[in-house]
Amino acid sequence: MKKIIILGSTGSIGENTLDVIRNHRDSFIIVGLSCHTRVAELLAQTEEFKPRAIAITGPGTELEFTGFPGKIYKGEAGLLDMIVDLDADIVVNGISGAKGLLPSFRAIESGKDCALANKETIVMAGPLFLRQASHLKRCIVPVDSEHSGLFQLLQQLDKKRVAGIIITASGGAFRCMPKEKLHTVTVEDALKHPTWNMGKKITIDSATLGNKGLEVIEAHYLFSMPLSKIKVVIHPQSLVHSLARTIDGCLFAQVSEPDMRMPIHYALFYPDATPSEYGTLDLAGKEFSFYPVDEEKYGMLSLAYRAAGAGEAYPVVYNAANEIAVEAFISGQIPFTGIPYIVERALEKEWEKIVGSIVGSIEDILAFDKAARRVTHEILLKIGRNK
Ligand SMILES: NC(=O)c1ccc[n+]([C@@H]2O[C@H](COP(=O)([O-])OP(=O)(O)OC[C@H]3O[C@@H](n4cnc5c(N)ncnc54)[C@H](OP(=O)(O)O)[C@@H]3O)[C@@H](O)[C@H]2O)c1
C-alpha cells in the first residue's frame, strides 16, 4: 500500500485523485489531506477516507473541526509541518498557484516522491527543485496531461533521436472568436472551457494560452529541452496531449481522453503500469485537427518564450504577474485583454536592477515573486488612475 498525501484535495486535481484512489483502495491509503477554504468539503472527504491528519490554510482556520479524530494543522506553516510529520510515500500537489511551491520542496526534503500537478513549482524553481530532487533521490512525476504524455514518450525514445517536442492546446473558450472581440468577453465566458473541467485560474489561463505558456516553461525545465525545440499547436479535441518528433522524421503521440484521472493514475502507480478504468479511447469516428497558434491573439504564449529565454528570474515574474492579472480580470478590474498587457509591462522591468540576477536559492525565488507582485500591483494602480 502506498501512503498518499493530497494537497489541495478540495480542488479539481484533488477530487480527481480521490476518485482514482476510490477505485484502488487496495493499493493506496490516504494519510493526509489539505484545503484552503472549502472546509465542509474537506470534512466530507475525511469521513470517507479517514486520513491521519488534515491541514487548513485559509480563513477557515478558526473553525473548530469537531468530529475529526486525527491531527489538524492550521495555516501555511501548519501545512508544511503536516507534510514533514506524516509518514508517506507520495505527495500529490494539487494546490493552485505559487502557494504550491514550498509544499513541493518540503515534500522532497522530507523523503517523499511528488506527483506534481502544481506547475508553478517547476515554472518558478524548476532547476533548483529538480537538482534537489535528484540529489535527494526523489522521484518527480508530472501530472499535467501534456507533461505526463511527454514523460511517457521520452522514456521510450533514445534521447539522441529526439529532435523536439510538441504540446497541444485546446485553444480555450475563445478559439473561434476574432481577436478584435476579446476585450468584451466576461469572466463567465472565459470559464467555459470546451474540453476540460478544471479550477478557475487554469481555465482562464487556458483562454489566454497563459496556461500553455506556463507549460512550455515547465517542459523546458522538466525535460531539459531547449525552447527552440518546444512547439505548441492548437488541437481543439484535446485527445492528443503531446508529441515527440525524431531526427529521422517520425512523430510519436500520446493520445487519450481528456480525463485528468489518466495522468494521476499513471503518477500514483509509477513506475508500475496497472490497468486503468479511464483508458479506452475508441478512435473510430474521432476527428483530430491541428492549427497553428495565432501569436497576436494569444500574446501570453510568446511572452512565456520570452520570459524563459531571459533567464531563471523571468518565469517567476511571468507567473506572479499573470496570477495578479487573472485575479484582476476575475474581480472586474481589467478586461480580458488586460492580462497579457500587464504581464508584458511587468516583464519589461529591469529585474536584475530590482532584485539582482541570482536565482540560487528558494529565498531568491521568493524575493523575485514578492517583488514581481508588488510591481504588478503598481502597474494595475497606474492603469486604474489613467482610466
Ligand atoms: N485541474 C486540472 O485539470 C489541472 C490540469 C493540469 C494541471 N493543473 C494544475 O494543478 C494545480 C491545481 O489546479 P486545480 O484546477 O485543481 O485548481 P482548483 O480546482 O482551484 O483547486 C486548488 C486547490 O488548492 C487549494 N488552495 C487554493 N489556494 C491555496 C493556498 N493559498 N494554500 C493552500 N491551498 C490552496 C484549494 O483549496 P480550497 O478549494 O479549499 O479553497 C483547492 O483544494 C494548478 O497548478 C494547475 O495549473 C490542473
Side-chain angles (χ1 to χ4, degrees):
M1 293 272 262
K2 285 185 184 175
K3 296 183 276 301
I4 311 288
I5 299 174
I6 306 176
L7 307 180
S9 63
T10 48
S12 162
I13 288 291
E15 292 278 5
N16 277 306
T17 307
L18 289 172
D19 211 31
V20 172
I21 291 176
R22 219 172 253 126
N23 285 327
H24 296 278
R25 298 274 200 171
D26 49 349
S27 300
F28 305 108
I29 176 165
I30 291 180
V31 295
L33 295 172
S34 88
C35 82
H36 191 53
T37 53
R38 285 180 269 183
V39 179
E41 283 87 337
L42 185 70
L43 178 57
Q45 294 174 353
T46 62
E47 281 167 10
E48 184 182 355
F49 290 96
K50 316 251 180 291
R52 281 181 212 147
I54 54 170
I56 305 166
T57 47
T61 45
E62 295 314 313
L63 199 140
E64 263 324 303
F65 216 79
T66 49
F68 176 66
K71 182 157 182 184
I72 302 171
Y73 292 83
K74 294 180 177 174
E76 280 181 39
L79 174 74
L80 299 179
D81 288 343
M82 181 182 83
I83 297 168
V84 174
D85 291 350
L86 284 175
D87 172 25
D89 301 295
I90 302 176
V91 172
V92 178
N93 189 346
I95 293 175
S96 53
K99 290 290 181 193
L101 178 70
L102 290 179
S104 294
F105 272 89
R106 209 46 65 89
I108 57 167
E109 285 159 4
S110 60
K112 283 109 184 158
D113 291 335
C114 218
L116 195 58
N118 178 266
K119 61 191 78 181
E120 292 81 359
T121 298
I122 301 293
V123 169
M124 296 172 71
L128 183 67
F129 182 67
L130 295 169
R131 254 196 327 270
Q132 205 135 320
S134 155
H135 174 68
L136 297 167
K137 300 197 172 24
R138 295 312 350 142
C139 180
I140 311 298
V141 182
V143 166
D144 234 333
S145 57
E146 297 77 0
H147 303 74
S148 172
L150 287 166
F151 187 84
Q152 295 173 58
L153 283 168
L154 295 174
Q155 279 179 71
Q156 312 297 326
L157 293 166
D158 181 351
K159 206 173 173 193
K160 291 199 288 288
R161 200 176 160 211
V162 177
I165 56 179
I166 301 171
I167 299 173
T168 64
S170 69
F174 307 126
R175 182 177 63 83
C176 300
M177 184 178 282
K179 57 178 172 289
E180 294 73 25
K181 289 199 167 167
L182 284 180
H183 68 282
T184 62
V185 301
T186 65
V187 175
E188 289 67 35
D189 296 332
L191 287 175
K192 287 180 197 140
H193 196 285
T195 47
W196 293 99
N197 185 11
M198 309 182 285
K200 224 173 187 179
K201 156 77 169 44
I202 186 174
T203 307
I204 307 274
D205 283 347
S206 297
T208 61
L209 250 66
N211 182 47
K212 222 37 62 177
L214 294 170
E215 289 179 4
V216 165
I217 302 170
E218 190 185 0
H220 171 55
Y221 289 143
L222 265 180
F223 306 115
S224 303
M225 188 65 66
L227 291 164
S228 59
K229 294 186 174 180
I230 306 174
K231 305 285 178 226
V232 176
V233 66
I234 302 278
H235 168 52
Q237 296 84 8
S238 300
L239 293 169
V240 178
H241 303 291
S242 44
L243 305 95
R245 192 188 290 282
T246 59
I247 49 172
D248 45 351
C250 289
L251 268 178
F252 291 86
Q254 192 269 323
V255 188
S256 56
E257 293 282 7
D259 184 339
M260 283 311 292
R261 292 174 300 179
M262 292 271 298
I264 292 169
H265 174 104
Y266 177 81
L268 290 181
F269 279 102
Y270 183 82
D272 299 322
T274 317
S276 108
E277 295 72 22
Y278 326 107
T280 48
L281 172 67
D282 186 359
L283 286 177
K286 290 278 186 302
E287 283 185 16
F288 292 79
S289 45
F290 300 91
Y291 307 96
V293 177
D294 177 344
E295 288 189 12
E296 260 184 58
K297 177 175 171 182
Y298 294 112
M300 286 298 290
L301 186 61
S302 40
L303 288 173
Y305 277 95
R306 209 199 293 174
E312 284 177 31
Y314 287 81
V316 183
V317 177
Y318 177 88
N319 179 64
N322 181 51
E323 280 190 16
I324 290 180
V326 170
E327 277 166 24
F329 169 61
I330 291 174
S331 64
Q333 276 176 275
I334 57 165
F336 181 75
T337 44
I339 299 172
Y341 176 82
I342 284 169
V343 174
E344 187 166 14
R345 297 290 82 72
L347 285 170
E348 275 166 6
K349 303 278 174 194
E350 289 184 72
W351 284 98
E352 284 81 2
K353 286 190 189 157
I354 299 174
V355 192
S357 57
I358 299 165
V359 190
S361 68
I362 192 77
E363 288 74 25
D364 296 333
I365 291 160
L366 293 175
F368 268 104
D369 181 63
K370 194 171 168 197
R373 283 167 200 274
R374 177 176 48 76
V375 166
T376 310
H377 278 299
E378 285 165 11
I379 295 168
L380 265 173
L381 272 176
K382 203 168 162 192
I383 292 173
R385 278 199 297 271
N386 293 342
K387 259 185 185 171

